[in-house]
């Protein structure tokens, strides 16, 4: 089959599956509940199984043709109250208000509402109006007009409490109940308000008269303050006039005051001249008396400092002389030490020459000894080579005898190696008792005998002539490198353990 056809079939199948899934998948909006009927379901909190399933806030799979899906709105609803009532006093009233309600969010309320309003959701406001109208008439019949006017919250609370049970059975909850208006066709409420209105009018007239009195008092007070302000103004004007007169008198006295001030300035200048004269005399005294005294003191101080410097110079000269003497002594000591070091060095050179001569003599003796040892080792090696050659010739002539000799010499080691397999065994269980133990030791001892056959096979292999062409290492006929016999050492063929 063509690949394109197969791909088309697969794509069509996927599209069909997607379409079927979309047809079967239903999602509940946040403000609605899905009521799925067609099979028995058991919902937690609802007791026995019922013939429908409730889904809120999520998606679910529905079998088309087998199950039916219907939506139940969880939005708010309202109904207007316009109820004719009669109070406990027999006075007819009309109560107006509004009830805001909705289906409860729990599964029990949704189930109750689904059973009653699933196909009649538009009828819920009317049914709720009927319930509240009946209870409102009953509650208003037990109250007076005064109670309803003064405590309207009491009327609202009693109405909600009375309707709560019935609303719960319907699966509904009341979000808000408000009493907007209480109409009085007979005018009872208006007549009830007349005494209060008259009292209010009276209080208003009294308040107006009191206001007029207070206004008159305020006007008189304002007039008095105006007069007080006029008086204060005249007093200020008189004060200003007195100041002007004083200024004129001061102007007239300005001439004599100027003369007195000029005389005062003359006295000040004369005082200044006297002060300058006294200062001049003081400077003259400084030049005639103080300066010569300072010069004499400076001369005395300079002489004292010169004497001190002379003593310091003498002391420094003495110290320098001592330092030169110490340096000469140090030079003498250094020269003597240098002479001693030269003598010591000469003695060391003589000792080194003697040590060198002794070492050369010992090296010559060691070399001669080594040559002798080498000659002895060479002779021993030649002798061992001759022995190996003789053993190889004997091996070529009588292989079995040589092998038997080697096995006889190494028989204890072979048996010990065979029994070594049991050295690490901590516990051994023998099923046939002493007979099994005898068989085990017999097998261990027979391992040495098996070595003779292996040696014979190796010798037979070595005696065969080599082939002219060697096969590849990887070919079936190539000999195993690990199975070749080792070289003959001291007339013995070492057997490699696998």
């Amino acid at each position: 089959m063509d690949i394109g056809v197969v791909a088309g079939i697969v794509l069509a199948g996927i599209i069909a599956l997607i379409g079927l899934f979309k047809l079967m998948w239903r999602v509940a909006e946040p403000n609605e509940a899905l009521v799925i009927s067609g099979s028995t379901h058991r919902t937690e909190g609802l007791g026995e199984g019922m013939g429908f399933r409730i889904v809120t806030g999520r998606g679910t799979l529905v079998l088309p043709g087998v199950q039916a899906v219907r939506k139940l709105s969880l939005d708010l609803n309202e109904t207007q109250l316009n109820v004719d009532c009669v109070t406990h006093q027999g006075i007819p009233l009309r109560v107006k208000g509004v009830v805001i309600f909705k289906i409860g969010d729990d599964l029990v309320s949704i189930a109750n509402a689904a059973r009653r309003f699933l196909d009649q959701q538009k009828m819920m406001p009317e049914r709720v109006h009927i319930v509240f109208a009946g209870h409102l008439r009953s509650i208003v019949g037990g109250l007076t007009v005064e109670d309803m006017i003064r405590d309207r919250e009491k009327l609202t609370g009693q109405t909600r409490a009375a309707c709560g049970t019935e609303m719960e059975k319907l699966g509904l909850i009341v979000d808000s109940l408000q009493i907007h208006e209480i109409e009085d066709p007979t005018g009872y409420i208006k007549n009830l308000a007349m005494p209060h209105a008259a009292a209010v009018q009276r209080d208003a007239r009294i308040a107006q008269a009191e206001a007029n009195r207070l206004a008159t008092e305020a006007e008189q007070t304002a007039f008095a303050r105006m007069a007080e302000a006029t008086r204060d103004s005249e007093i200020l004007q008189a004060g200003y006039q007195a100041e002007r007169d004083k200024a004129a008198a001061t102007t007239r006295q300005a001439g004599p005051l100027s003369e007195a001030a000029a005389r005062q300035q003359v006295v000040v200048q004369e005082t200044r001249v006297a002060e300058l004269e006294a200062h001049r005399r003081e400077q003259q005294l400084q030049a005639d008396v103080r300066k010569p005294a300072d010069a004499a003191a400076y001369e005395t101080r300079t002489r004292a400092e010169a004497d001190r410097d002379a003593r310091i110079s003498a002391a420094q000269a003495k110290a320098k002389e001592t330092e030169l003497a110490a340096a000469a002594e140090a030079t003498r000591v250094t020269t003597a030490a240098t002479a001693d070091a030269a003598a010591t060095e000469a003695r060391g050179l003589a000792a080194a020459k003697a040590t060198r001569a002794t070492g050369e003599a010992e090296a010559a003796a060691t070399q001669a000894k080594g040559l002798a040892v080498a000659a002895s080792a060479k002779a021993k090696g030649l002798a061992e080579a001759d022995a190996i050659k003789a053993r190889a010739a004997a091996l070529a002539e009588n292989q079995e005898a040589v092998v038997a000799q080697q096995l006889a010499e190494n028989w204890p080691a072979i048996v010990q190696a065979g029994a070594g397999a049991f050295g690490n065994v901590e516990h051994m269980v023998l099923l046939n008792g002493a007979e099994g133990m005898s068989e085990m030791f017999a097998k261990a001892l027979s391992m040495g005998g098996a070595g003779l056959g292996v040696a014979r096979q190796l010798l037979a292999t070595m005696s065969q002539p080599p082939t002219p062409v060697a096969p590849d290492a990887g070919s079936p006929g190539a000999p195993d490198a690990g199975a070749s016999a080792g070289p003959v050492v001291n007339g013995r063929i070492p057997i490699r353990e696998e």
Side-chain angles (χ1 to χ4, degrees):
M1 184 179 292
D2 190 7
I3 297 177
V5 176
V6 175
I9 294 173
V10 173
L11 181 60
I14 293 174
I15 294 174
L17 289 175
I18 294 174
L20 181 61
F21 179 78
K22 293 181 66 177
L23 183 63
M24 296 173 61
W25 187 254
R26 294 289 185 272
V27 179
E29 299 292 338
N31 62 338
E32 67 182 10
L34 297 181
V35 181
I36 304 171
S37 58
S39 59
T40 302
H41 299 277
R42 182 178 181 87
T43 305
E44 184 179 354
L46 298 182
E48 298 180 355
M50 54 185 178
F52 59 90
R53 179 161 53 100
I54 299 172
V55 178
T56 58
R58 59 185 178 87
T60 184
L61 286 174
V62 179
L63 299 177
V66 178
Q67 295 177 332
V69 181
R70 286 177 289 182
K71 297 180 179 180
L72 184 63
S73 176
L74 303 179
D75 290 333
L76 286 175
N77 296 278
E78 69 176 40
T79 181
Q80 298 292 331
L81 297 178
N82 191 2
V83 184
D84 293 330
C85 306
V86 179
T87 66
H88 179 69
Q89 302 158 318
I91 299 173
L93 297 176
R94 176 170 293 174
V95 179
K96 293 183 178 181
V98 62
V99 179
I100 299 176
F101 64 94
K102 67 182 292 292
I103 298 174
D105 295 329
D106 59 291
L107 296 180
V108 176
S109 299
I110 295 174
N112 292 338
R115 291 189 178 98
R116 292 164 176 81
F117 302 110
L118 186 59
D119 294 332
Q120 301 178 2
Q121 297 185 44
K122 294 183 179 180
M123 299 295 293
M124 282 195 296
E126 182 179 351
R127 304 293 169 80
V128 172
H129 183 275
I130 294 172
V131 172
F132 274 86
H135 287 285
L136 189 60
R137 289 190 184 96
S138 175
I139 294 170
V140 170
L143 299 175
T144 62
V145 178
E146 289 80 358
D147 293 337
M148 295 174 59
I149 295 173
R150 294 169 184 169
D151 194 359
R152 189 171 296 184
E153 187 65 27
K154 179 180 179 181
L155 174 61
T156 303
Q158 290 183 359
T159 304
R160 293 188 65 169
C163 298
T165 304
E166 295 185 11
M167 294 290 286
E168 183 177 355
K169 292 179 180 179
L170 296 176
L172 304 176
I173 58 174
V174 178
D175 278 0
S176 177
L177 170 62
Q178 298 293 331
I179 303 300
H180 292 165
E181 185 179 358
I182 299 176
E183 293 183 357
D184 178 17
T186 62
Y188 180 86
I189 298 176
K190 183 177 180 181
N191 294 330
L192 189 65
M194 283 184 179
H196 301 285
V200 170
Q201 290 180 0
R202 179 196 61 202
D203 294 339
R205 291 179 61 186
I206 293 173
Q208 184 65 41
E210 183 68 18
N212 293 335
R213 182 184 65 80
L214 293 176
T216 302
E217 290 180 357
E219 289 177 354
Q220 296 301 323
T221 303
F223 291 150
R225 289 180 178 176
M226 291 174 61
E228 183 180 1
T230 301
R231 181 201 62 190
D232 293 341
S233 176
E234 292 176 353
I235 291 173
L236 288 175
Q237 291 178 7
Y240 293 152
Q241 184 63 38
E243 290 179 358
R244 285 196 295 271
D245 295 341
K246 182 178 179 181
T250 302
T251 302
R252 288 192 297 270
Q253 295 175 359
L257 290 175
S258 298
E259 293 178 359
R263 179 60 183 168
Q264 183 179 3
Q265 291 295 329
V266 171
V267 173
V268 169
Q269 292 298 326
E270 290 177 351
T271 303
R272 181 63 178 170
V273 170
E275 291 177 352
L276 292 175
E277 181 65 22
H279 182 69
R280 185 186 65 78
R281 291 179 180 177
E282 182 180 359
Q283 293 296 328
Q284 185 66 34
L285 181 62
Q286 290 282 344
D288 295 340
V289 178
R290 186 174 181 179
K291 293 297 183 181
D294 290 342
Y298 177 75
E299 182 180 2
T300 303
R301 185 169 58 253
T302 302
R303 291 180 182 276
E305 290 177 355
D307 294 340
R308 181 197 61 190
D309 293 340
R311 290 193 299 272
I312 290 172
S313 298
Q316 289 178 349
K318 183 65 176 176
K320 186 66 175 177
E321 182 180 356
T322 304
E323 181 181 356
L324 292 175
E329 181 64 21
T331 302
R332 184 185 65 77
V333 172
T334 302
T335 303
T338 302
D340 292 341
T344 303
E345 183 179 1
R347 287 194 298 271
L349 290 175
K353 288 179 180 180
T355 303
R356 180 177 180 184
T358 303
E360 289 177 353
E362 290 178 354
T366 303
Q367 182 177 7
K369 186 183 295 184
L371 291 174
V373 172
S376 176
K378 182 176 180 182
K380 185 178 180 180
L382 292 174
E384 288 180 354
D386 293 337
I388 292 171
K389 184 176 180 181
R391 187 179 294 273
L395 179 62
E397 294 176 358
N398 193 356
Q399 298 178 355
E400 293 184 359
V402 175
V403 172
Q405 180 186 356
Q406 294 295 323
L407 291 175
E409 292 176 358
N410 297 303
W411 183 257
I414 293 172
V415 175
Q416 183 180 0
F422 304 99
N424 296 325
V425 177
E426 184 177 357
H427 300 287
M428 180 181 296
V429 179
L430 299 176
L431 300 179
N432 52 355
E435 184 180 355
M437 181 64 72
S438 299
E439 291 178 359
M440 186 182 302
F441 281 107
K443 289 180 180 180
L445 295 174
S446 63
M447 292 176 64
L452 180 58
V454 175
R456 289 176 178 176
Q457 293 177 3
L458 293 175
L459 292 173
T461 303
M462 292 175 60
S463 62
Q464 293 177 2
T467 56
V469 179
D472 294 336
S475 62
D480 188 3
S484 61
V488 179
V489 180
N490 296 330
R492 299 178 183 178
I493 301 175
I495 300 174
R496 184 173 63 86
E497 296 180 358
E498 295 295 337

